[in-house]
Amino acid sequence: MASSISNPEANSDLSRESKQNKQRRIECEDEAEEVEIGKTRWKTEAEQRIYSSKLLEALRQTCRNASSAASASPVASCAIRETANRVLAVAAKGRTRWSRSILKSRLRLNNNKHKKQKQQKVSRHKRRKKPVAKKLSALERKVRFLGGIVPGCRKLSFPNLLEEATDYIAAVEMQVRAMTALAELLTGSDSSLPPPDRLGSNLSS
């Protein structure tokens, strides 16, 4: 008892070390839990059912907006694709880089229109020098190609890119399953997917 009182520095070191060990144990448990969640993420029927219901609602809203336009043209395939990707990003809850990139894409598109107009005016007066192409190895080319496929992951490190790509591929696979089932349900056909304009007319009806 006397030794513990006479040596407060040793006690503080022990308490600090125990807190650090506890913090490390909590971090390891959290990482293990995230790994387990990652193994089943996008693969459960509940997730697909939730995504399908939100996708159907979003597609109906897209069709209403298209029908209320002056041209009243059928829903384009790009509009359906953008809606499906946006709903998928919302389902990811912004936990991944690719989902945040999709959610921000609309703002970037609007800003890019104004930037392109300014750049066109400037480029008329200035000539840009062509950059010297850097030779890449086969692995670097594959990594760059993969970074171009996964939204918002062009400049990620290789380990982070693999993590994002794994989650994105699983999400897209679930998206394909959900959209296939949804198309079959809307058309009453189990043989093939309908064309985008037919899907749009069924959604708006």
Side-chain angles (χ1 to χ4, degrees):
M1 183 71 179
S3 61
S4 62
I5 295 174
S6 60
N7 196 359
E9 292 183 0
N11 292 335
S12 62
D13 290 340
L14 288 173
S15 62
R16 192 181 303 110
E17 186 177 349
S18 63
K19 287 180 181 179
Q20 290 175 352
N21 292 334
K22 185 178 180 181
Q23 183 65 28
R24 289 195 201 100
R25 187 169 63 253
I26 293 173
E27 290 176 357
C28 291
E29 290 175 356
D30 291 342
E31 289 178 2
E33 186 178 355
E34 287 179 2
V35 170
E36 289 299 321
I37 293 172
K39 289 179 181 179
T40 59
R41 185 159 175 76
W42 308 114
K43 296 179 182 179
T44 62
E45 291 184 3
E47 283 182 306
Q48 182 174 330
R49 199 161 47 241
I50 293 170
Y51 173 74
S52 299
S53 62
K54 291 183 178 179
L55 176 61
L56 180 59
E57 183 181 350
L59 288 174
R60 281 176 174 161
Q61 185 61 43
T62 302
C63 293
R64 290 191 200 102
N65 295 339
S67 62
S68 62
S71 59
S73 59
V75 181
S77 58
C78 61
I80 292 177
R81 184 173 63 251
E82 288 174 2
T83 302
N85 289 338
R86 190 175 69 252
V87 176
L88 187 66
V90 171
K93 299 179 181 178
R95 293 173 181 169
T96 54
R97 190 182 184 91
W98 65 262
S99 61
R100 293 191 295 270
S101 176
I102 291 174
L103 293 174
K104 293 178 181 178
S105 62
R106 277 196 167 187
L107 295 174
R108 283 201 299 267
L109 285 173
N110 293 332
N111 292 333
N112 286 340
K113 288 181 181 179
H114 300 292
K115 288 181 180 179
K116 284 181 180 179
Q117 291 175 356
K118 293 181 180 178
Q119 287 175 357
Q120 287 175 356
K121 293 179 181 179
V122 174
S123 61
R124 292 175 185 174
H125 304 285
K126 293 183 180 180
R127 293 183 181 179
R128 296 181 180 178
K129 295 181 180 180
K130 293 182 179 179
V132 179
K134 181 183 176 182
K135 291 184 179 180
L136 301 174
S137 65
L139 178 60
E140 287 175 331
R141 287 197 300 270
K142 290 178 180 179
V143 171
R144 177 172 289 188
F145 179 75
L146 182 61
I149 293 174
V150 184
C153 296
R154 289 183 180 274
K155 298 180 180 180
L156 279 186
S157 63
F158 186 59
N160 292 335
L161 176 59
L162 286 180
E163 185 179 350
E164 289 282 336
T166 301
D167 186 78
Y168 180 67
I169 291 170
V172 171
E173 287 176 345
M174 187 207 68
Q175 183 187 58
V176 171
R177 292 194 303 268
M179 294 189 73
T180 302
L182 186 59
E184 291 172 354
L185 178 65
L186 293 172
T187 58
S189 171
D190 296 331
S191 57
S192 61
L193 283 170
D197 55 346
R198 188 178 172 190
L199 178 60
S201 61
N202 282 325
L203 284 170
S204 58
S205 60

